[in-house]
Amino acid sequence: MSDSHNKSNDKGKGPQRPDEGSSDGSKKVPRKAVESALEMNPALKAELASMDPAKAAEALTKMDISQLLTGLSVGGKNQKDMASYKFWQTQPVPSFGDNAQKKPITQGPIKMINPDEVSKTPDALIEGFEWCTLDLTNPTELQELYELLNNHYVEDDNAMFRFAYSQSFLHWALMSPGWKKEWHVGVRASKSRKLVASICGVPTHIRVRGERIKVTEINFLCIHKKLRSKRLAPVLIKEITRRCYLNGIFQAIYTGGVILPTPVSSCRYYHRSLDWLKLYEVGFSPLPHGSTKARQVAKNQLPAQTSTPGLRPMEVKDIDAVFDLLERYLLRYDMNQAFDREEIEHWLVYKEQPGKEQVVWSYVVEDPQTHKITDFVSFYNLESTVIDHPKHEAVRAAYLYYYATETAFTGDKKALKERLLVLMNDALICAKQAKFDVFNALTLQDNPLFLEQLKFGAGDGQLHFYLYNYRCAPIAGGINEKNLPDENQMGGVGVVML
């Protein structure tokens, strides 16, 4: 995955702070916009730190504002079929430079929506295409979405890896409590009836600095490669927005690897090798200069068994205890998921079903004496197809999901760090036992306390968090200005997006 295979095919690289405009004056890039982009993505600064200033300036002259603000790299790669900056200017999202005067930000909705004024019909599509609503309870339509995503969704820059969303994963991700069929939006070719684009959402609640808001989690914006030039992305975004408005939900949360107006937070991806040799063979992990394959395999070795007394897979009987523990734990973050009991059961409890593969792994620690649940940790499975490889067809990636520990409430940060190091090391062992090849985590939650110590390597991918039609002050993403995990930048993001 060249350590960039995250929620987007974009690595989010770009220029250092430039002059007011390009040297030939052909394209004026406002300094405020550039500074916003650089501040929201420390990796943008880092890329050109070692470059010759003249070359950096030359690279800038070849970029216009829409490229800069959507996070394209200096070389002009990573073009993602997202709506342009121009489109986002028409949407209720904070603009770059909105807070140039550093005034206190008034938190809340940007635009008040009157559902009676929302159009009851979708915008027209280009000729030859039509809207559809996907029925994911229908195996044929589920298979169509599966095929669209597996052939046309996110892949890395070198076209070596592509996310492979299983049908079980799609059921889990898109049919959570309260799910609405009309939020599974598709576009079909009128003649062939082929599904050529999608955008999906599920309803949930989040809290932003104590304010509980009803949101739609937007995901799976995917357009057939042959239609990337048709400007379908803005139309899809407008259509899911219309459908949400009609259902009385006026805010949304979404993520991406590119910079759009305007991230509420940015986190960095980290990867822990579980099967280093396989990752090396498929081109995901490099062989460090001066090292050997044997040394890398030994470096990433894990104990055969977990070490926490009372650690066991989570069961239905643990739902209430985990709900209580996780709720208290998540309240510690500025932006967090506000689960209800039904959502805990859906997202965290694996129930074996014929023909369905396991998507989520959750573990609890039950105190041997009191039988109280003191800790909990989970991860989910998202495989990637290895494109045209003679030996390996897929990389099995475990993604760190939600976790919690009573140790957080002692007020002792050192004790919390020690507890999480043990708990997460056990999670790595459990993932290894479940035949995963790599364990991925972002710098959100309390992850900066253990990423580097547990030999997670820095990825070159970032994930930006966005709120639609909601304004709030920036939220810490666990990284400092050098784009490294920082324990002083924690306490921000407590939402894990799939």
Side-chain angles (χ1 to χ4, degrees), residues 10-23:
D10 305 275
K11 297 182 185 177
K13 293 180 177 177
Q16 282 179 317
R17 181 168 301 175
D19 294 325
E20 185 68 30
S22 62
S23 56

Side-chain angles (χ1 to χ4, degrees), residues 314-328 340-342 344-345 349 373:
M314 181 179 172
E315 301 171 35
V316 171
K317 67 178 183 182
D318 303 313
I319 290 171
D320 288 327
V322 169
F323 177 34
D324 170 69
L325 175 59
L326 184 57
E327 173 85 353
R328 288 182 287 122
D340 61 27
R341 189 188 182 281
E342 201 183 349
I344 294 287
E345 181 169 6
V349 181
I373 301 300

Side-chain angles (χ1 to χ4, degrees), residues 270-272 274 379 398-400 427-428 431 437-441 456:
Y270 272 71
H271 311 285
R272 172 57 158 92
L274 302 176
F379 52 84
Y399 283 73
L400 181 58
L428 293 173
D437 303 315
V438 63
F439 197 103
N440 297 331
F456 280 77

Side-chain angles (χ1 to χ4, degrees), residues 13 50 56 77 89 95 133 148 202 214 243 250 278 306 389:
K13 293 180 177 177
S50 57
K77 292 188 304 173
Q89 282 182 310
S95 299
T133 297
L148 175 70
V202 292
K214 206 183 204 179
R243 295 186 185 200
F250 310 120
K278 178 179 176 180
T306 57
H389 194 275

Side-chain angles (χ1 to χ4, degrees), residues 325 329 374-375 404-412 415-417 419:
L325 175 59
Y329 198 85
T374 58
D375 310 79
T405 172
E406 289 286 358
T407 311
F409 309 111
T410 63
D412 185 340
L416 175 61
K417 181 169 186 163
R419 185 61 173 174

